[in-house]
Amino acid sequence: AHLVWATHDRQPFLQPQIEEALYAYILKKARELDTYIHAINGWIDHMHLVASIPPKHSVASIVQNFKGAGTHYVNYTLRPPQFHFGWQRGYGYLTLGESQCERAIAYVHNQKIHHEQQTANPWLEKYSEEDEGPPIPALMQQLRGNQILREEMVLYQVEKNFPF
């Protein structure tokens, strides 16, 4: 699986001193969850990872674990004085076949080069307000009213430059 998520409001929180410790912590957390991380890297406002997630875990539970534990680790162990660390609510997820895994790993390993040289794949890097999902109070109101949640538009379209 290729997973991507951004910092809260795309703030440049992933500075080198935070990033290195956070990624090491996520790798430790992955071992605890029997999840293998093939590659982890990112840019100042988002991270990518390629992981093998065992079927006993859902992707959502793994991401929730990584994001929640990572946030707690940064705020309570690293304790950056200049900001309160957090992630956006959503995440991106692509399943990968064995033949796609090597290219995905290379893409993640080269994140900094892609962003510095502006060669990042726009399909994997795009972000919009829709990625955050509905505000929680509105979502809860819909659930209390037993309404069926439906998307009013197609949010994802396959484009010519599909990443893999």
Side-chain angles (χ1 to χ4, degrees):
H2 185 156
L3 300 160
V4 184
W5 59 83
T7 59
H8 182 69
D9 289 336
R10 285 284 178 149
Q11 293 294 311
F13 292 154
L14 297 176
Q15 299 299 321
Q17 66 278 15
I18 299 286
E19 182 183 47
E20 185 177 333
L22 175 62
Y23 292 171
Y25 183 77
I26 288 175
L27 289 170
K28 177 182 174 267
K29 197 70 173 160
R31 284 190 299 274
E32 292 172 9
L33 297 168
D34 299 324
T35 297
Y36 182 77
I37 304 292
H38 300 273
I40 185 170
N41 204 352
W43 191 236
I44 59 174
D45 65 353
H46 69 281
M47 68 175 285
H48 291 253
L49 59 89
V50 176
S52 292
I53 301 169
K56 67 181 180 181
H57 297 298
S58 70
V59 173
S61 70
I62 292 294
V63 172
Q64 179 182 21
N65 232 296
F66 288 168
K67 288 171 67 175
T71 298
H72 188 270
Y73 175 73
V74 171
N75 287 324
Y76 295 98
T77 301
L78 300 180
R79 305 179 87 157
Q82 64 274 34
F83 60 84
H84 183 77
F85 184 82
W87 299 109
Q88 73 176 30
R89 283 196 341 231
Y91 63 93
Y93 165 66
L94 292 169
T95 57
L96 301 171
E98 194 172 328
S99 65
Q100 299 160 320
C101 200
E102 188 176 318
R103 287 181 66 195
I105 291 168
Y107 183 79
V108 171
H109 280 305
N110 292 312
Q111 269 296 289
K112 299 204 178 17
I113 293 168
H114 288 307
H115 285 279
E116 288 166 358
Q117 297 178 358
Q118 297 182 346
T119 59
N121 186 310
W123 197 88
L124 286 169
E125 306 291 338
K126 67 183 170 184
Y127 170 80
S128 73
E129 292 300 316
E130 292 151 349
D131 293 336
E132 291 292 335
I136 294 296
L139 176 63
M140 295 312 292
Q141 182 62 38
Q142 285 180 318
L143 293 175
R144 275 194 295 274
N146 294 324
Q147 296 177 5
I148 297 173
L149 299 175
R150 299 176 190 263
E151 293 189 16
E152 296 179 12
M153 61 181 186
V154 176
L155 297 179
Y156 303 100
Q157 297 177 5
V158 176
E159 300 172 7
K160 288 182 182 178
N161 62 341
F162 190 72
F164 308 115

